[in-house]
Amino acid sequence: MSVLVEVCIDSLESLPIAEKAGAGRIELCSSLATGGLTASAGYMKAAARVANIPVYGIIRPREGDFLYSSDDVEIMLEDIHTAHKMGLNGVVIGALNAQGHIDADVVSAMIKQANGLGITFHRAIDHCASPFDALEFLMSHHVERVLTSGLAKRADEGMDTLKAMVEFCHGRLGIMPGAGVSPENAKQIVDFTGAHEIHLSGKTTRASHMVYRNEKATMGNGDSDFDITVTNPDTIARAIAAVRG
């Protein structure tokens, strides 16, 4: 069985690294530390220019839940338009209502705005009160795949649900396990669930090239501004070798 490995990145530097390591598709994000947020227009455009594999941009205007205000929705629709204009191959979307069901109006509007772009529904599915009803909705709207941990914290803890999802969709909708996927568990997840795609970041850090450093002043919640997050090619290559072994 051929298994595609999607790699999520949050810097242009990581894109050729992931591609060279054998990634079959990129999920383009900013701020992976918060679960992935929408990339800037410039970042989208640069990624589309340098990539030789499909690039899907996540459409997520803020961290936290997937219950979006009208302002959030307006931003997401504009960001989908931007993704299309900048040359991305697809978008990664999701929205829920307060009761934990897919927000049909918002998701339908995003699909329409995508206007032919490929569509992945992201891990909002893992916060759904009725995930199999959500799968029915997504299949009826011709979404390509769902990124999911099987409603668990990690994909290797949600394998029973992932397998049930794969069987339920019966090829009409791809189920792509993600969250906590590694070279050590990727083959087990794929073999048990029957999934044909898998998702990971394979993150590591490299040292900043700055010579002058003021270690006292830090941005955000990190310990240092001089550890740069990048994709680890060895992690990606080992995960690919595992699932194709």
Side-chain angles (χ1 to χ4, degrees), residues 80-135:
I80 292 170
H81 173 74
T82 299
H84 205 300
K85 184 178 178 181
M86 293 301 107
L88 297 192
N89 304 98
V91 290
V92 183
I93 65 171
L96 305 178
N97 63 28
Q99 287 69 45
H101 302 289
I102 284 182
D103 189 321
D105 290 341
V106 172
V107 173
S108 295
M110 289 197 284
I111 292 170
K112 182 178 180 181
Q113 182 78 330
N115 191 28
L117 291 177
I119 296 175
T120 299
F121 192 88
H122 58 49
R123 290 192 60 210
I125 192 78
D126 294 320
H127 292 270
C128 278
S130 302
F132 288 88
D133 289 342
L135 295 177

